[in-house]
Amino acid sequence: MATGAIKIWILSLLHRERGLLGTLSPTGRQALTAIAVGYLLIAIVMVLNGTVGARLHVGFPVLNRSSFGFWFSYFSVISRVILAMFWFGILTFSGSESVYQMLKAVWPSTARIPNHLPASSPVTTRDMMCYFLYWLIQFPLILVPPQKIRHFFTFKSIIVPCAWFAMLVWAMVRVPSSKSLAPNKGPLTQTTLSGSTLAWAWLNALNSSLGLYSTLSINIPDFTRYAKNERACVNIKIT
C-alpha cells in the first residue's frame, strides 16, 4: 500500500493545479514559503485523520458517524459528493486545455475552429470539443477499480516528473528569467508589496495551498484503511 500511495502523492503534487500556486504571491520565494507552510499544516491533519483509518481499517462514511451521528452524517457525505462533482469538472476542464494544446501542436487549424456558441458564453465550441474529448479519454478509466490500474500509476509516476523537468528546461531555455513566456509581453517587473497588502497576499496563497487538500484531509481514511499499520500512514505523508 505504501509504495502505491507514494506514487499517487507524487502525481498529485505534480498536478497542473499545484503548479499554478506559484502565481498567487508577489515573489517566488514568498509563494514557496506559503506552499510549504500550507502543505505542512495539511499534512498534520491528514496524519491525524489517516491514522484512524489505518488503525480501524474503515473509511470516511463510517468514521463520519462518530462525529455527526447516524442521520446528520448523511449531510456531510452528500456535501462531500457534491464538492467532488465540482472538483471533477474543474479537473476535466484543466485536462481539456491540455488536449487543446496537443491538438493545436499537431493541427494548427484547431485554433481557428469557428465558435457557434453565443459571444456572451464563457466557453467556445473549441473548448466544448476538447472537454468532451478529454472526458471520453478518462471515462473508461473511471470504470476500472483503482487497485487494478496500479501499473498505470507506476507508469505515470515515472513519466510525469520527466515531463515536468523537460518543460522546466524548455521554459528556461526559451526565454531568460527577466522575460515573460506570455506573448507580446515585455520584461517582467518585480511586484513590491508591504504591510497588510503583503500579508493578505501571502495568506491568500496559504489558503489556496490548504484548499487543494482540505477535502482530501477529511476523507483520507478512504485511502489509509488499506494500510498494514499506522506507521505506514505517517511514513507516506513524510515522504
Side-chain angles (χ1 to χ4, degrees):
M1 184 267 180
T3 304
I6 290 174
K7 295 173 184 176
I8 294 177
W9 286 121
I10 292 176
L11 297 175
S12 179
L13 292 173
L14 293 178
H15 191 272
R16 175 180 177 269
E17 304 300 328
R18 276 62 176 172
L20 295 178
L21 288 176
T23 65
L24 297 176
S25 288
T27 65
R29 180 176 300 177
Q30 294 168 359
L32 290 176
T33 303
I35 294 172
V37 173
Y39 281 5
L40 176 61
L41 294 176
I42 207 66
I44 296 175
V45 178
M46 283 190 174
V47 169
L48 294 177
N49 283 340
T51 301
V52 181
R55 177 183 300 177
L56 303 178
H57 300 289
V58 293
F60 166 69
V62 177
L63 295 175
N64 184 41
R65 296 178 180 177
S66 64
S67 300
F68 293 94
F70 182 81
W71 294 110
F72 195 63
S73 63
Y74 285 100
F75 170 76
S76 57
V77 171
I78 294 174
S79 299
R80 182 67 182 90
V81 170
I82 295 175
L83 182 61
M85 293 171 62
F86 278 97
W87 185 237
F88 179 77
I90 293 173
L91 294 182
T92 303
F93 174 75
S94 176
S96 69
E97 291 185 316
S98 300
V99 170
Y100 167 67
Q101 296 299 331
M102 290 187 291
L103 291 178
K104 188 175 65 171
V106 179
W107 298 288
S109 59
T110 305
R112 298 187 296 272
I113 294 178
N115 181 30
H116 299 286
L117 298 177
S120 59
S121 176
V123 296
T124 62
T125 302
R126 180 189 63 207
D127 297 333
M128 293 297 295
M129 179 194 70
C130 294
Y131 187 94
F132 182 70
L133 289 176
Y134 186 78
W135 184 85
L136 286 179
I137 294 173
Q138 68 176 348
F139 181 73
L141 298 176
I142 298 176
L143 302 178
V144 182
Q147 61 269 22
K148 292 186 178 181
I149 57 174
R150 59 183 183 192
H151 297 299
F152 177 70
F153 284 111
T154 301
F155 170 75
K156 288 183 61 178
S157 64
I158 297 174
I159 195 66
V160 171
C162 295
W164 268 100
F165 182 75
M167 287 190 293
L168 174 64
V169 173
W170 170 83
M172 296 178 66
V173 173
R174 181 72 174 178
V175 293
S177 58
S178 59
K179 298 285 186 178
S180 172
L181 283 174
N184 303 323
K185 296 290 185 180
L188 293 177
T189 57
Q190 184 71 28
T191 303
T192 303
L193 299 178
S194 60
S196 61
T197 305
L198 174 60
W200 282 111
W202 190 85
L203 288 174
N204 178 47
L206 175 64
N207 181 67
S208 298
S209 62
L210 288 171
L212 286 175
Y213 289 106
S214 59
T215 55
L216 182 59
S217 64
I218 297 175
N219 70 299
I220 191 65
D222 290 335
F223 299 89
T224 59
R225 62 176 174 168
Y226 297 106
K228 295 181 179 179
N229 51 60
E230 300 174 22
R231 185 178 297 274
C233 176
V234 179
N235 293 339
I236 290 171
K237 300 302 183 298
I238 294 177
T239 304

